[in-house]
Amino acid sequence: MKIEVWSDFVCPFCYIGKRRLEDALAQFPHRDDVEVEFKSFELDPNAPLNTGQTINEALAKKYGMTVEQAQQANEGIGQQAKSVGLTFNFDNMKPTNTFDAHRLAKFAKTKGLEEAITEKLLYAYFTDSKDLGDRDVLVSVAEEAGVNRSEALAVLEDKTAYSNDVRIDESLAQQYGVTGVPFFVINQKYAISGAQPKETFTSALEKVWAEENPAPKLQDLSGDGSVDAACVDGNCAVPSKDEN
């Protein structure tokens, strides 16, 4: 089974949804047969590297609300994050452009470190309040994930490196009609939109597994069934004297 996850590193529900999926997978009997692949999605491709705003100010401007209302909304999201063991520090978050972070994640994927760097980038932004638009920060996060520091720096310095990989993901998201993230696609056939409860992911995993791996059906060649010679539920039919 393959699960593709479209997400952005500054999307709070992407981190929450990722953790809920992981919690469901941890209890899934066939976890070793499930591959999770992360896909790039930019919530705001035109975002500047430095907005000069707090996350609450940026949210208020985007949705036409007061800063106080934005803060209350983020506090609610923070409670959801806490319920899955995450800590979100909204007061110190630094809104930024995530294109370079996505390029770096694509490079890490070639090293088998996609999951590691995805988790590190999300943690860096939401918990450590790191600036993911800063090249030095990105290199340090990549190094923490196991990526060679000099190679990570070379990728970031080359503006075209892995850009096409990011665009391919975003193009595919458009084909699927994805307008928000997180967005999960299972076996290119089933979709889950949003950071759904763990139970939703558990149900989906079980449903897809059952449909993709049906129990074998046997053709009965026993005849008309006139001979009763089977033991069922610990009981065996006793043949009559005429049958002896």
Side-chain angles (χ1 to χ4, degrees), residues 7 14 25 28 35 69 78 87 102 112 142 151 175 192 200 206 209 222-223 232 238:
S7 62
C14 292
L25 284 171
F28 187 54
E35 174 190 357
Q69 290 173 324
T87 300
H102 282 292
E151 291 180 344
Q175 293 178 41
I192 298 175
T200 299
E206 293 172 348
W209 184 266
S222 303
V232 181
V238 180

Side-chain angles (χ1 to χ4, degrees), residues 169-195:
D169 282 357
E170 294 176 335
S171 176
L172 185 54
Q174 288 184 333
Q175 293 178 41
Y176 279 140
V178 180
T179 57
V181 287
F183 192 84
F184 307 81
V185 175
I186 307 176
N187 287 354
Q188 298 183 334
K189 184 177 179 182
Y190 309 88
I192 298 175
S193 179

Side-chain angles (χ1 to χ4, degrees), residues 112-174:
L113 297 169
E114 180 183 46
E115 163 58 27
I117 197 169
T118 297
E119 178 66 25
K120 292 291 185 182
L121 286 167
L122 288 166
Y123 187 89
Y125 182 78
F126 286 103
T127 303
D128 284 347
S129 303
K130 297 290 182 65
D131 182 1
L132 297 189
D134 184 278
R135 181 179 299 177
D136 291 335
V137 169
L138 288 176
V139 169
S140 296
V141 172
E143 189 175 31
E144 290 176 7
V147 179
N148 179 276
R149 186 179 184 88
S150 60
E151 291 180 344
L153 181 59
V155 168
L156 293 175
E157 289 179 339
D158 182 353
K159 295 299 184 181
T160 63
Y162 299 92
S163 294
N164 192 50
D165 298 72
V166 176
R167 297 308 183 207
I168 288 174
D169 282 357
E170 294 176 335
S171 176
L172 185 54
Q174 288 184 333

Side-chain angles (χ1 to χ4, degrees), residues 31-49:
R31 173 63 184 93
D32 292 341
D33 296 306
V34 179
E35 174 190 357
V36 178
E37 180 180 355
F38 292 93
K39 298 289 190 178
S40 299
F41 190 99
E42 296 172 90
L43 287 174
D44 185 1
N46 298 314
L49 289 177

Side-chain angles (χ1 to χ4, degrees), residues 9 13 16 19 30 47 66 88 94-95 97 117 123-124 142-143 151 156 159 171 177 194-195 205 215 222 228 231:
F9 301 115
F13 289 111
I16 294 170
R19 193 62 86 243
H30 309 287
T66 67
F88 284 4
K94 300 174 178 60
N97 187 290
I117 197 169
Y123 187 89
E143 189 175 31
E151 291 180 344
L156 293 175
K159 295 299 184 181
S171 176
L205 291 170
S222 303
D228 191 358
C231 297

